[in-house]
Amino acid sequence: MKELILLKYGEIALKGLNKNTFEDLLMKNIKRRLKGVGKFTYNRLQSTIYIMPQDEESDLDVVMEKLKTVFGIASICRAAVFEKDFADICEGTIEYLKDTLSFAKTFKVQAKRADKAFPMKSPEICSELGGVILEKFPELRVDVKNPEVTVTVEIRDTNAYVHAVQTQGAGGLPVGSSGKAMLLISGGIDSPVAAYMMAKRGIHVSAIHFVSPPYTSERARMKVEQLCEKLTAYCGSIAFFCVPFTEIQEAIKDNCPQEFFTIIMRRLMMEIAQKIADRDDCLALVTGESVGQVASQTLKAIACTDAVCAMPVFRPLIGMDKTEIIEIARKIDTFDISILPYEDCCTVFTPKHPKTKPSIEETENAQNHFDFTEMIKTAVEKTELKVIKLEA
Ligand code: ATP
Ligand code: MG
């Protein structure tokens, strides 16, 4: 039986005059995501995208899985394609939905008749097809208010489509519709989740990672690249910047008061990240911080980090518990990589008693024990860029 895929968009449908721009971007992202899994024709009509396979080869289960990671799609369903002949539609519907209908208790039929030349009107289609279904599945009852299964028949220009099962899409807005931001990515659980959350709101994410060899290993860096690869399913291609940070960390250790190590390090990370973000046309920074998780994530410590930031810093996990973050990390399949036990530069030279409530003034004084200007410049110059592409 011939099938196609229908995608409904959620929020984009409300976009008024800008709707076309959002739709175009969504189409582009969908086509990019489905590259390599088959040939399709695409149509869009009334907030729905119709994806019709052009060959027998495309595995629609694979296509569905890929589409589930595309932001901007509210729901996805597979539908059977029929000639616009009512007897064919009835017979085909029974065959196509036999598993779904034999497990259900209640159902209703809804009809959408875009082709006004079709000889039956919608209420007639519903009652006739409903009757045929009841005959075949006498245990079923019609429930128009709260049915377990809604059988939808769409009569379109060239064909009729029938579907009953809707899968939830990724929601959100198409990636790229909200500009670009620079994610500070560690190898931990949180920052990849932060990337997912921002991409969901249409942000195109670039990523920056600080390494301190020999204190951090090549494997730790590869782990972060692997996380980025996973993220491309949701975020599209990611520009990955890797910053050599050893010299700066050693200078902090050798010159600044120990209880301020972490907070100074974080301020310097932010300064470097902003410079790279500027060059990469990013309008904001993103971190995986959540209030109170560690000493550098108290409100006072966050104020000290933000004091060096001229661009907005987004912390999409700020009010989330670790368990909630982990749930998303599992869903987006980054969790198993994140828990691999390689060291991060944040854990190099960590003080025994970090200041949990630093004031901006005392932090600045502590940082002023050393002039980091030249080292920041060098780190920016030596930053390496690698584009991590969305694989088919
Ligand atoms: P995560 O699970 O993301 O590692 P965490 O709870 O371990 O978070 P921290 O190590 O304090 O928290 O880091 C807080 C945030 O700082 C991270 O979410 C990330 O945005 C950023 N960060 C930490 N280490 C690095 C690094 N090596 N390079 C870039 N950003 C980093
Ligand atoms: Mg970390």
Side-chain angles (χ1 to χ4, degrees):
M1 195 172 291
K2 210 165 148 193
E3 282 183 295
L4 89 171
I5 288 179
L6 305 178
L7 307 175
K8 306 263 175 200
Y9 23 98
E11 235 178 292
I12 299 177
L14 312 170
K15 285 293 175 201
L17 290 177
N18 290 329
K19 194 173 149 192
N20 270 340
T21 323
F22 282 88
E23 283 179 345
D24 291 346
L25 192 54
L26 177 59
M27 286 295 274
K28 215 166 98 190
N29 292 349
I30 290 170
K31 286 178 184 171
R32 206 176 280 153
R33 193 73 185 97
L34 295 186
K35 224 167 142 187
V37 290
K39 275 209 178 79
F40 307 94
T41 52
Y42 298 84
N43 285 301
R44 58 196 209 206
L45 205 72
Q46 295 162 347
S47 300
T48 307
I49 294 172
Y50 296 78
I51 304 182
M52 181 83 85
Q54 288 307 293
D55 47 34
E56 303 286 296
E57 263 129 66
S58 22
D59 179 343
L60 288 195
D61 289 332
V62 174
V63 173
M64 293 281 285
E65 280 312 304
K66 296 219 177 237
L67 290 171
K68 274 193 219 165
T69 65
V70 178
F71 289 121
I73 298 171
S75 67
I76 310 169
C77 65
R78 286 167 81 140
V81 183
F82 301 118
E83 296 301 324
K84 286 193 287 187
D85 174 280
F86 193 66
D88 277 2
I89 295 173
C90 289
E91 197 183 318
T93 300
I94 299 292
E95 173 62 22
Y96 187 58
L97 298 178
K98 61 177 186 288
D99 290 345
T100 312
L101 291 172
S102 54
F103 285 112
K105 289 198 174 63
T106 58
F107 83 108
K108 79 168 179 188
V109 179
Q110 89 184 357
K112 294 179 184 171
R113 197 176 58 121
D115 171 15
K116 300 296 177 204
F118 191 73
M120 294 165 78
K121 293 214 164 109
S122 297
E124 202 185 343
I125 297 173
C126 293
S127 68
E128 294 278 325
L129 179 57
V132 172
I133 292 174
L134 280 173
E135 228 171 74
K136 285 279 171 194
F137 301 93
E139 319 278 276
L140 269 176
R141 269 190 311 106
V142 174
D143 181 346
V144 285
K145 283 220 177 93
N146 197 17
E148 247 174 81
V149 176
T150 300
V151 177
T152 304
V153 185
E154 302 192 24
I155 313 285
R156 296 267 179 201
D157 291 352
T158 53
N159 289 92
Y161 309 133
V162 174
H163 53 93
V165 188
Q166 271 202 1
T167 308
Q168 210 178 359
L173 294 170
V175 166
S177 62
S178 308
K180 196 152 59 150
M182 181 67 74
L183 167 78
L184 283 90
I185 188 167
S186 68
I189 297 166
D190 304 335
S191 36
V193 174
Y196 163 84
M197 303 277 283
M198 297 315 294
K200 181 170 182 168
R201 296 310 302 162
I203 287 190
H204 183 188
V205 174
S206 289
I208 186 167
H209 177 61
F210 294 81
V211 291
S212 287
Y215 307 105
T216 64
S217 65
E218 184 56 24
R219 283 202 303 186
R221 173 197 164 139
M222 277 162 56
K223 169 185 170 181
V224 178
E225 287 187 20
Q226 240 182 307
L227 285 170
C228 287
E229 273 163 29
K230 278 278 178 205
L231 286 171
T232 59
Y234 291 93
C235 301
S237 297
I238 295 176
F240 174 71
F241 296 89
C242 193
V243 188
F245 205 47
T246 316
E247 226 191 355
I248 290 181
Q249 284 202 281
E250 285 177 341
I252 301 173
K253 180 179 123 257
D254 293 340
N255 298 285
C256 301
Q258 201 193 44
E259 52 184 355
F260 289 92
F261 280 4
T262 310
I263 195 75
I264 293 172
M265 178 194 70
R266 300 198 59 77
R267 282 159 59 94
L268 294 167
M269 278 182 166
M270 294 307 232
E271 285 200 36
I272 293 169
Q274 283 179 99
K275 292 193 195 306
I276 309 270
D278 253 340
R279 292 185 180 184
D280 190 44
D281 298 324
C282 293
L283 300 175
L285 300 180
V286 178
T287 77
E289 291 163 299
S290 132
V291 168
Q293 208 185 70
V294 287
S296 64
Q297 296 173 25
T298 64
L299 291 193
K300 284 237 173 189
I302 287 175
C304 288
T305 351
D306 275 3
V308 298
C309 296
M311 56 174 63
V313 181
F314 296 136
R315 298 176 169 90
L317 314 186
I318 200 71
M320 288 168 75
D321 290 348
K322 199 74 184 187
T323 49
E324 294 170 303
I325 299 170
I326 288 175
E327 202 178 306
I328 300 179
R330 285 193 196 279
K331 183 176 94 173
I332 64 174
D333 205 22
T334 51
F335 183 76
D336 289 340
I337 303 172
S338 289
I339 58 173
L340 295 172
Y342 308 127
E343 64 301 315
D344 181 54
C345 71
C346 277
T347 52
V348 174
F349 313 136
T350 31
K352 280 210 180 65
H353 302 288
K355 201 100 178 142
T356 54
K357 292 181 182 162
S359 75
I360 294 177
E361 199 190 352
E362 60 184 345
T363 306
E364 280 171 358
N365 288 338
Q367 191 171 330
N368 284 339
H369 286 226
F370 188 80
D371 183 359
F372 291 96
T373 321
E374 279 309 309
M375 282 191 180
I376 291 178
K377 238 194 233 163
T378 312
V380 171
E381 274 161 20
K382 291 195 172 160
T383 293
E384 285 171 22
L385 166 63
K386 176 172 179 181
V387 177
I388 300 189
K389 287 221 168 85
L390 168 65
E391 297 296 339

